Amino acid sequence: MFKCLYMLLPATLLLAACGGAPLAPKPARLQAAEAAVLAANRATQSGADADASHYWREAWQAYASIDDWGGQGEARLGLANSLVRQGERDEAVRILASMRGNELFSADLRARATYQQALLQLATPDLAKASLAQARALCGAACGWVARLDNLQARLAVQGGDYAGAGALLTRVLAAPGLPGGERAHALRLMAEVALHDGALADARQRIDAAIVLDRQLAEPAYLVDDYVFLRRYAAAAGDEVLRTEAGQRLQSLCAVFSSAACSGN
Amino acid sequence: MKYLKDSDPRFRMLGWRAGSFALLALGLMLALVVALGLRQGYFVQKTRLNFVAENGAGLLPGMQVRLSGFKIGVVDTVALGESAKVDVELLVETRYMKWVKADSQAILQQDGFLGDHFIEIVGGSPKLPPAQDGAKLNFAPALGLADIALDLRQRIIPIIDSTQTTLEYINDPKGDVRQMLGNLKELSAEVRQTRAAVDALLAKADRVADKQVPATLEAAQRTLERADRTLADVQGRLPGVFDQLDRTMGHAAQAASEAAAVMGATRHIVDEAAPRVPGILRNGDATLRTTRELLDGASQSWPLKNWMQPPAASAPMPDSRQ
């Protein structure tokens, strides 16, 4: 009899714990906003950028209607990102610029907006550097995504011919723990560029091979095209005709199904 | 041989105890069955109604019968009748029969897009007495979007066929219309020739000398005779042309009236369907939203959350390589 009770009591407690009281329902507009953010992220994950833009706009409106500047900022950043992927860079710049000076957004959101704007200003390095410096200042010392800022700064440095500065930044990036795969691959790719410039061919080859492995895992065609463009350049510098042919073939195959600015130069 | 002795007082009257326990359990079970039956309306007096449906799709025994959205009975049987139609019998609680009249209609409805089907009883003249046991109701299957589209298709295709036939008839080189146009063209050419001849003759008349007058008059006489023959010919052909024109106009009028009838029918269908469209869209929107919420919730629960990558709750940060 008591044995039964001993078994029944934990079972009852377990059922009560699992059952529990239902969660208090959230307000309808907040639910709509959060559902739109989830849908937008899902669309982004599946590469449906037009759908993502639609959902980000929906989230933006929903958050704006409840005076939630944090949610609104996330929605604006997501929308700008989707618009860039769709080629609507001017609209993205307009949205990001409207966030930079608005102190109703948190410093982190403004830092992210400034960083995204710097990405769009690569053609004008001075503007990009200024935006990058502002993003770094807004993000602060305990910035959780400083590797992206360092990588972007290294990219600008390589673009400007400052290979030594780029190398120092990239060494710091690659030493950081918990680096996202995309950023590690980018740092390796830039490091390969620096090594090739310095004439360290073996190091350059090792870096670009590591970058290609990561980029294949990321399955981002633009990154792979960039890697193989570099690999072909490396092969030409190293006088490795076999590698040059192979890189060319891989590049041709990628460019046949994916159009990018790097492809148009080949 | 007895191996154990029931000396323990706890085993005294064990059979009675077990029996009474079993009886108590049985009694409780019966009470539960009766309570559930009462709740489900099994012990309530019911009136049997029936209707005949063209198609048994969506009709199942046990499905609810509702009046103004409230359950008032169930579908008892669904059977294929002698004339290949579907005989459906309903059991409606007698206390609700005061609202079910002999001319009430039974409509097959569905809860949203994905919900259960049910029979909705609507209409009925308030002055009529309640329907009697065994009364037959009119059945109206609810038109879905697919049914409306099919109905429209069935009505529009004859119009297109008829219009095509008329156009082919008009375009046929051997048909009445083309022949009539050809005849008219020919006649008009002949009349133009005659007029040119008369004009030439009149112009010439100014210049003729006295000695040429008889010859000219003779020529004029011949020309007039020829004109007379041409006009007689025209007069002879005109009734035929008018007949052909009349037949053509008849065909055109028939085609136009068919088109007008079908357009009227189409408008009627659209008028019937239009008020339901916002509701259907609203239901669809609500269903999609609910489904999305359910999927979101499910994707965050065990074990699905282990199989699916949950979408982030904030905007993705673009890579520095973009």
Side-chain angles (χ1 to χ4, degrees):
Chain A
M1 181 79 174
F2 285 109
K3 275 184 185 172
C4 282
L5 274 178
Y6 287 145
M7 287 174 68
L8 205 63
L9 196 63
T12 313
L13 281 174
L14 201 65
L15 281 173
C18 286
L23 293 172
K26 289 181 181 175
R29 283 183 183 275
L30 183 59
Q31 278 186 41
E34 289 178 352
V37 170
L38 284 179
N41 273 315
R42 193 173 288 122
T44 305
Q45 276 176 8
S46 59
D49 294 315
D51 290 349
S53 296
H54 168 78
Y55 286 123
W56 284 123
R57 280 186 205 279
E58 224 178 79
W60 180 355
Q61 284 177 3
Y63 278 122
S65 71
I66 55 175
D67 194 33
D68 184 335
W69 288 84
Q72 209 186 125
E74 292 285 353
R76 289 189 195 205
L77 291 175
L79 177 59
N81 196 21
S82 299
L83 289 171
V84 170
R85 283 173 169 270
Q86 289 174 266
E88 296 179 36
R89 296 169 74 92
D90 293 343
E91 178 68 4
V93 167
R94 197 186 60 75
I95 290 167
L96 295 170
S98 71
M99 287 183 72
R100 281 179 72 168
N102 191 339
E103 296 199 353
L104 287 172
F105 294 112
S106 67
D108 182 61
L109 284 172
R110 279 184 287 144
R112 283 165 61 191
T114 315
Y115 160 72
Q116 283 186 222
Q117 204 173 359
L119 282 172
L120 299 176
Q121 291 169 332
L122 280 169
T124 47
D126 290 340
L127 282 178
K129 280 177 190 167
S131 295
L132 196 58
Q134 193 186 351
R136 212 180 271 281
L138 283 165
C139 199
C143 189
W145 41 278
V146 74
R148 292 173 198 269
L149 298 174
D150 287 343
N151 265 346
L152 185 55
Q153 195 170 341
R155 189 174 169 186
L156 285 166
V158 167
Q159 207 172 306
D162 179 11
Y163 289 92
L169 279 166
L170 293 167
T171 307
R172 191 170 80 184
V173 171
L174 289 170
L179 194 61
E183 293 308 315
R184 181 170 294 281
H186 190 199
L188 286 165
R189 160 71 182 82
L190 290 171
M191 205 61 162
E193 186 87 45
V194 172
L196 183 65
H197 176 264
D198 294 344
L201 290 179
D203 190 30
R205 179 68 194 271
Q206 191 191 343
R207 303 280 189 187
I208 192 61
D209 283 351
I212 288 173
V213 169
L214 282 174
D215 284 336
R216 276 195 181 144
Q217 288 168 8
L218 292 170
E220 186 65 52
Y223 299 171
L224 286 166
V225 167
D226 182 40
D227 290 342
Y228 286 120
V229 167
F230 175 80
L231 189 63
R232 198 171 57 175
R233 197 149 47 84
Y234 161 84
D240 188 341
E241 199 53 39
V242 176
L243 182 64
R244 190 166 172 272
T245 310
E246 185 194 322
Q249 280 176 344
R250 288 182 188 276
L251 197 56
Q252 201 176 0
S253 166
L254 278 166
C255 290
V257 291
F258 176 77
S259 61
S260 82
C263 282
S264 60
N266 293 288
Chain B
M1 184 179 173
K2 213 166 186 179
Y3 294 102
L4 294 170
K5 193 177 176 184
D6 294 344
S7 59
D8 191 325
R10 287 179 300 176
F11 292 124
R12 278 179 204 157
M13 298 174 74
L14 189 62
W16 283 103
R17 284 186 193 178
S20 58
F21 180 76
L23 275 177
L24 185 66
L26 195 66
L28 281 173
M29 198 180 292
L30 279 174
L32 187 68
V33 167
V34 170
L36 285 174
L38 277 173
R39 194 175 171 78
Q40 292 290 323
Y42 289 131
F43 306 113
V44 178
Q45 193 182 1
K46 295 198 174 65
T47 303
R48 189 170 288 274
L49 301 173
N50 62 71
F51 63 79
V52 177
E54 292 289 329
N55 194 319
L59 292 167
L60 286 171
M63 67 194 286
Q64 290 188 2
V65 177
R66 295 185 191 174
L67 181 84
S68 306
F70 283 86
K71 183 190 168 192
I72 60 165
V74 291
V75 173
D76 188 31
T77 59
V78 178
L80 197 60
E82 288 298 322
S83 54
K85 292 187 178 178
V86 182
D87 295 328
V88 181
E89 293 207 340
L90 315 176
L91 287 175
V92 175
E93 291 180 28
T94 305
R95 58 185 160 147
Y96 296 119
M97 283 303 293
K98 59 185 170 186
W99 292 303
V100 182
K101 310 292 184 181
D103 61 345
S104 291
Q105 271 203 330
I107 302 176
L108 179 62
Q109 299 274 33
Q110 188 175 15
D111 279 327
F113 275 130
L114 306 171
D116 293 335
H117 283 93
F118 61 91
I119 302 288
E120 178 86 26
I121 303 230
V122 295
S125 309
K127 288 177 185 170
L128 284 179
Q132 297 299 312
D133 192 54
K136 189 172 184 178
L137 301 180
N138 291 322
F139 175 66
L143 284 179
L145 283 178
D147 300 322
I148 293 169
L150 186 66
D151 196 26
L152 272 176
R153 183 179 178 277
Q154 283 171 349
R155 289 171 191 253
I156 283 172
I157 279 181
I159 305 182
I160 295 169
D161 288 346
S162 168
T163 312
Q164 195 173 2
T165 310
T166 308
L167 285 173
E168 279 172 1
Y169 173 74
I170 290 170
N171 280 329
D172 185 5
K174 292 178 183 172
D176 294 344
V177 178
R178 295 287 288 268
Q179 277 191 356
M180 181 190 77
L181 289 173
N183 288 344
L184 279 174
K185 195 175 171 185
E186 199 180 324
L187 277 174
S188 124
E190 282 179 10
V191 169
R192 261 203 307 273
Q193 276 178 359
T194 307
R195 180 176 171 182
V198 171
D199 285 347
L201 186 65
L202 289 174
K204 209 169 159 186
D206 290 341
R207 298 193 302 271
V208 293
D210 290 343
K211 60 180 181 181
Q212 289 175 314
V213 167
T216 306
L217 284 176
E218 195 178 340
Q221 179 70 26
R222 281 202 300 276
T223 305
L224 284 172
E225 280 171 1
R226 203 167 66 207
D228 197 30
R229 280 201 302 278
T230 305
L231 284 173
D233 189 28
V234 168
Q235 201 173 0
R237 288 192 200 186
L238 268 180
V241 170
F242 283 134
D243 284 348
Q244 285 177 345
L245 189 62
D246 193 34
R247 281 200 297 275
T248 307
M249 292 306 287
H251 281 296
Q254 192 182 346
S257 67
E258 277 177 17
V262 177
M263 286 311 291
T266 308
R267 186 182 298 165
H268 181 62
I269 293 167
V270 170
D271 286 347
E272 272 186 0
R276 297 178 52 211
V277 169
I280 290 171
L281 290 177
R282 213 167 30 243
N283 281 344
D285 195 36
T287 309
L288 283 176
R289 190 176 289 273
T290 310
T291 310
R292 198 167 72 182
E293 284 167 8
L294 278 174
L295 287 174
D296 287 342
S299 67
Q300 289 163 28
S301 311
W302 183 85
L304 290 178
K305 69 177 178 186
N306 297 332
W307 305 336
M308 298 170 71
Q309 189 184 356
S314 57
M317 179 89 93
D319 288 342
S320 58
R321 199 172 183 178
Q322 273 191 4

